[in-house]
Amino acid sequence: MKPTALVLNLLVASVGTVRYSAAGCFSWKTFWPFAILSVPFAFLGGRLTLPAPAYKMILGGVLFFAAWRLHLSQVHRELRSRGQ
């Protein structure tokens, strides 16, 4: 599973980088610190093994938070479009 996740992450990051760069929204000055620090932390994350229940709780929490933020942004967008 880890090699597949790595390949998919690289693919998504590459597509995002190309699209942001084409739109003129990519900054190498901002990118380099993240790129340099991501390598050792990715290695550490790959070495870490979590028990399945802990992994599922963390994943569920992160997905719930993302859904909540998406919902809030939609509510705010609708309120702005109504002029409130």
Side-chain angles (χ1 to χ4, degrees):
M1 184 66 177
K2 288 181 183 180
T4 303
L6 175 62
V7 170
L8 290 175
N9 279 333
L10 289 172
L11 177 67
V12 169
S14 298
V15 169
T17 301
V18 168
R19 292 191 63 163
Y20 274 99
S21 181
C25 299
F26 186 80
S27 167
W28 283 101
K29 185 178 178 182
T30 304
F31 170 75
W32 282 113
F34 287 101
I36 291 169
L37 290 174
S38 69
V39 173
F41 283 108
F43 176 76
L44 291 174
R47 301 285 301 163
L48 182 67
T49 303
L50 291 175
Y55 174 76
K56 288 179 181 180
M57 289 292 290
I58 293 169
L59 180 62
V62 169
L63 291 174
F64 181 78
F65 178 74
W68 177 67
R69 291 289 308 216
L70 184 62
H71 173 71
L72 285 181
S73 69
Q74 182 64 30
V75 168
H76 288 244
R77 188 175 9 258
E78 288 175 4
L79 288 175
R80 279 193 307 261
S81 69
R82 293 180 187 164
Q84 296 179 354

